[in-house]
Structures are given as structure tokens and as C-alpha cells.
Amino acid sequence: MYAHFTPRSQMTGSGMKRLKATSFRTPPTVLPVDLSGNAGMVNRMYGNDQYGDCGYAMCKHVVDLWTYGRGQSGWTQAADDTAALVAQYLKKEGGDNGCDEDDLVGGEGVWMSGLAGNPKQIVEDHLDIDVTDTALVQYLMSQGWPVEMAWSVPDAFLQQFTTAAVFASPMAPNPNNGHYTPLADCAAPGTILKVTDIGGYYRLWTWGTWCWVSPAFVASVQPASFVAFGPQQFNTSGYDCFGVHVSQRAAAWIALGGNASIANALVATFPPAVPSPTPTPGPTPTPTPGPTPTPGPTPSPTPGSSYGVRGMLTLTWPTGIPSPVTASRSLLSAARSPHFQAKCKASGIDWNVFIELLVELLGSLFPPEGGDESDG
């Protein structure tokens, strides 16, 4: 209906034995995982409606996913090179004879040397994985690695397939309908589509469009899968569409069981990671001084008490004087009178010194507030 299939018996090749490391412990993944910008990339047929080149088309779909960069600024999906891809397929396979995994990522695989004859469209390493391990598949997608899957397409799938169709249940596979497709994107729990909660379902890309398939469906269709690690996952600065540097992805790839020498060599072809900027400390705030305390009222001298200055003059504060200002003026007025000057002279007292001492004493008892009371 959609493509020329290849019997699954012809898709095994030499049997890839380089598996994910058994010691790897899969970290949990927060869903959803979106590798496609919510299916925003252009999904092409790549000749698979006329030829059995589904393996080649699958690899090109992955290239498209990587270079589309989830539709973010600065990323550009790879060009449509269908003619060159079909020509490469027919030459490599000696006609329209399908392909196996070795033809794609084996020692002389087309994805190792350049899809459609383009040396930039390559991967450097690959690992076979268990696609029925749902936690692993989710983790791989979260690292930016679509899962490449060979499977036997059920006849019922062909009858029901359409864009955004949901395949929730297991189906009976048809081994004569061998096919290759990538799985990319994993829906969040609570995502309802066609009355089905598709949380944890994968987006399957094929025949110029896509559909949703459950892990149960995948497990039922005789799947065999691998993942690949290559430079087109990263921009020229070495960052993938999630903003993660190639050095971090390489470390994850090696932990998964990938070839360390190959991964590290790939890292070396990109600029090093840019350190996150250290936040510039803000200026030290200048403490705001508190309000200057309001001085309390100057205490009035106690009537009947004596006050002295320089040990030369003692004043006994008189009673009946209503205010400090009145007191100062009264005392100075009396001291400056001719009568008091005459008494000072008769007593041998230097009147000018007396006035100076009196002003100093009054100033200590009544500090001036805006004027000199000695002048009042």
C-alpha cells in the first residue's frame, strides 16, 4: 500500500552484537520528550513509496530530526536529497533489494560514510538496544537519540495507518512486511488523543508522516533496534537542540557502552563548552543611617541650687523665674546696670570679668538655640 517491503529474514545481516552495556543503570526520564518540535519538521517519503529503501529513509529521518533542532532559531533541517539517496540505495544493494543493518551502520554502511553521498551526513558509532525496555527508550530520546527500529508491519496496521493514528494494542506481525522506521518523541501522561491516554507512547515516523504507537504495540511486532551517535546532532558550537554540549552527550554515550575513543574524538572536533557565567555580585548596599535622635528639652536649673564656673563664680538659682530665657535676660540686665557696676567697683571686682563668667555660666545652663542669649 505504501512501500515495497523486504522480508524480515533479509534484514538481519550479520547480526549486530555490540549491545548496550549490561552494567548501565537507566536514569528516570521526565516526560514528555520532544525531539521534533511537536512534529514540526518536514517529513519526507525519500522514495519509499516506490522503492524498498526504508532503511536509508529511516536514517535520513534521523538526520532531519537532528538538523531541525526542534524548530528552534539557528537550526535548519537538512535538504531533500531523495534522488541521491535512491541512487545510493540502488547502487549499494544492486537493485531494489532492500537492506539490512550492516548496510546502514556496519563497517561499510552508508550512514558511516555519508548518506546520499554526503560526507557530512554520517554517524560515528552505534549500539544495539532492547527497544522493549521502555525506561531505556525514554532515556535515549531524552539524550537526543531517536531509536532506529526494524519491525514486521501487521496487515491491520496498513489498513488503519494515517497521520496521528493511535496504535495502543499489540498486533499480529507479518514477517513478509519488513520495515525500518525511527521512534522519536514520547508523550506525557495525561495526553488524551482519540479518547486514549497516550502517555509513554512513541511517535513513529514513516511514509511521509507519523503515528503514535504504544510500548505494547512495539513489543508485538518483532522489533530489533539500534541508536547512533554522530556530529549532526550538534550545532557548530557543539550544542544539541536541548542546549547540552557534545562533551556531556559523549560521556552519556560512553556510560551506555559506546566506544570511548570514537566519542572523545568527536568531541575534539567541536569548540569546548562555554562555562556558565559567574553571577556578578551586586553593589554592597550603603547602610541607611537611622534618624538623628531629637534632643530632649534642656533641663531647667533647680531653684535654690548653686552652679559654678571656673571656680571663680558661683550662682544660686533664684526662685520665681518662669523660663530659662527670662532668667538669662533678668540676670544679665541686673549685672549690666550702673548700680551693679558701681557695687563691683566698690568691692574691687573687675566688672568685665564678672560679665564674661556670667555669660559662660548661663551658656552652660542654657545652650543657645539659634541665637546668643547674652545679647538679649
Side-chain angles (χ1 to χ4, degrees), residues 31-34 134 137-138 141 164-170 183-191 193-204 211-218:
L31 300 180
V33 177
D34 178 17
T134 56
V137 172
Q138 292 174 5
M141 291 181 182
V166 175
F167 295 90
S169 303
L183 301 175
D185 297 349
C186 191
T191 304
L193 184 61
K194 299 181 180 179
V195 304
T196 300
D197 185 341
I198 62 168
Y201 286 27
Y202 314 125
R203 204 187 304 258
L204 182 150
C211 65
W212 290 103
V213 295
S214 71
F217 172 87
V218 169

Side-chain angles (χ1 to χ4, degrees), residues 86-216:
V86 171
Q88 183 184 47
Y89 161 69
L90 294 173
K91 181 178 179 180
K92 171 81 172 173
E93 308 305 332
D96 189 9
N97 298 311
C99 68
D100 59 31
E101 190 173 332
D102 288 343
D103 293 332
L104 302 175
V105 289
E108 298 181 359
V110 293
W111 208 5
M112 305 297 288
S113 59
L115 282 174
N118 183 347
K120 293 183 178 180
Q121 294 186 153
I122 61 171
V123 292
E124 302 287 356
D125 198 14
H126 66 280
L127 288 170
D128 283 4
I129 62 104
D130 178 6
V131 73
T132 66
D133 183 339
T134 56
L136 176 62
V137 172
Q138 292 174 5
Y139 169 76
L140 295 171
M141 291 181 182
S142 76
Q143 299 299 300
W145 301 321
V147 173
E148 290 75 76
M149 182 176 72
W151 54 299
S152 299
V153 180
D155 293 333
F157 180 91
L158 293 174
Q159 296 166 6
Q160 300 172 29
F161 178 77
T162 188
T163 300
V166 175
F167 295 90
S169 303
M171 284 187 170
N174 183 344
N176 291 319
N177 297 342
H179 195 34
Y180 281 111
T181 54
L183 301 175
D185 297 349
C186 191
T191 304
I192 307 301
L193 184 61
K194 299 181 180 179
V195 304
T196 300
D197 185 341
I198 62 168
Y201 286 27
Y202 314 125
R203 204 187 304 258
L204 182 150
W205 301 83
T206 189
W207 301 319
T209 187
W210 53 271
C211 65
W212 290 103
V213 295
S214 71

